[in-house]
Amino acid sequence: STEADKERDSLLLDRVEYKRVEASMEESIRALEVKLLDLVPSFPEPLSDKLDPYIVQIPKDAAKSRVSLSDRLVTILGILGQAERFNRDVHLFSSTEKIAGEGDEARQVWRLYWGLGAAYWVDDSGKHAGVGSLGDEGWTFASDDKLAAGLDKLRYIKEGTEDEISFIQLPAQLQ
């Protein structure tokens, strides 16, 4: 039964190769998961909120995970796809918050994200505004009321309620 022995040996070699490739894929996928988890704090809050259902699917302990490698890869690709879509557009989000120096009254604030690279804010009165920057603790926003008129106009343009589209100069910082 030499033919059967050869077939069995070939199948054993194939299995060893399969296990080697699987271990390599596991290592690569885990490295991607760790990098993504490190990036999450740098995502703007609206993007993080949208990605939360995907992020919780990343296993804390990959060795004990019962999630298949293909499902883990799909999760990674889903997160990267959403981040890429966010990065290629301007997004406008509103929230109610207190503005420094304006007392205890909460106001409607509009945050404008220019992809993943820049952020601005303006309040509903169009008198208070500022710039967002990414730091070690995520996004922080500072006041710069000189930007208020331009950012208020940009908000209306983005909402589609401003008929006259024009260039608006805004500060940008490259890192």
Side-chain angles (χ1 to χ4, degrees):
S1 164
T2 341
E3 201 58 41
D5 289 341
K6 286 181 184 177
E7 180 68 23
R8 185 173 46 88
D9 289 346
S10 175
L11 289 173
L12 285 173
L13 288 174
D14 287 349
R15 181 181 170 141
V16 168
E17 178 64 13
Y18 170 78
K19 289 293 187 183
R20 187 190 65 75
V21 169
E22 182 181 41
S24 175
M25 286 179 60
E26 162 70 33
E27 188 177 308
S28 296
I29 287 173
R30 187 61 193 162
L32 287 171
E33 289 170 335
V34 168
K35 285 180 183 177
L36 272 177
L37 289 173
D38 287 344
L39 280 176
V40 168
S42 69
F43 290 155
E45 189 177 340
L47 177 60
S48 288
D49 291 347
K50 189 173 188 177
L51 292 177
D52 274 346
Y54 296 102
I55 293 166
V56 298
Q57 292 179 30
I58 296 176
K60 302 286 185 249
D61 184 352
K64 293 180 182 177
S65 175
R66 294 190 177 269
V67 180
S68 70
L69 290 178
S70 61
D71 287 344
R72 289 170 59 192
L73 185 57
V74 166
T75 298
I76 291 168
L77 294 174
I79 292 169
L80 291 174
Q82 291 292 331
E84 192 276 328
R85 274 191 284 285
F86 190 93
N87 193 40
R88 65 179 170 194
D89 202 358
V90 176
H91 303 274
L92 184 64
F93 299 96
S94 69
S95 61
T96 304
E97 37 191 282
K98 294 178 184 176
I99 298 173
E102 288 296 305
D104 289 336
E105 184 181 332
R107 304 189 67 134
Q108 186 78 19
V109 173
W110 298 89
R111 294 189 192 261
L112 233 144
Y113 291 93
W114 211 283
L116 296 170
Y120 306 93
W121 67 271
V122 64
D123 74 342
D124 58 350
S125 73
K127 295 178 183 173
H128 303 287
V131 178
S133 60
L134 181 59
D136 293 338
E137 302 296 318
W139 287 89
T140 57
F141 291 83
S143 294
D144 187 349
D145 291 343
K146 295 179 292 198
L147 303 173
L151 285 169
D152 200 42
K153 182 169 183 154
L154 184 57
R155 172 176 69 101
Y156 286 118
I157 290 171
K158 180 64 181 163
E159 288 177 333
T161 57
E162 173 66 45
D163 292 332
E164 181 185 327
I165 296 176
S166 60
F167 287 101
I168 297 167
Q169 289 190 355
L170 296 172
Q173 183 178 20
L174 299 177
Q175 296 181 4

